[in-house]
Amino acid sequence: MSKASTIEENFTKLEEIIEKMESEDVTLETSFDLYSKGLKLIKDCNDKIDKVEKEMKVIEGGSEDE
């Protein structure tokens, strides 16, 4: 069972993907694969940030609907 990545780990992975995509010898197929992996990492980061924001609202006594 693999552990969930942290936001920081995802940012590091995204930086690696960007570097690979900027390489002159990357194929179109590889670019699409890297792009797809990057989108999944971004979605995971957004989900984690949303979760933290909701937790902060609860801690601050605010409503999640704001």
Side-chain angles (χ1 to χ4, degrees), residues 1-58:
M1 176 185 282
S2 64
K3 72 175 187 79
S5 296
T6 65
I7 293 171
E8 292 83 5
E9 289 169 334
N10 283 349
F11 282 148
T12 300
K13 291 176 186 175
L14 282 167
E15 288 174 3
E16 292 170 2
I17 286 173
I18 290 168
E19 286 178 19
K20 288 177 185 175
M21 289 182 76
E22 289 177 339
S23 170
E24 290 182 17
D25 59 345
V26 68
T27 65
L28 185 59
E29 184 176 322
T30 301
S31 291
F32 284 133
D33 183 50
L34 291 169
Y35 181 78
S36 177
K37 288 178 182 177
L39 286 179
K40 289 177 185 176
L41 288 169
I42 290 169
K43 182 185 179 320
D44 186 55
C45 286
N46 283 334
D47 291 346
K48 287 179 173 150
I49 290 169
D50 287 344
K51 181 180 177 185
V52 170
E53 287 176 343
K54 287 178 183 176
E55 290 173 358
M56 291 300 297
K57 286 181 181 181
V58 169

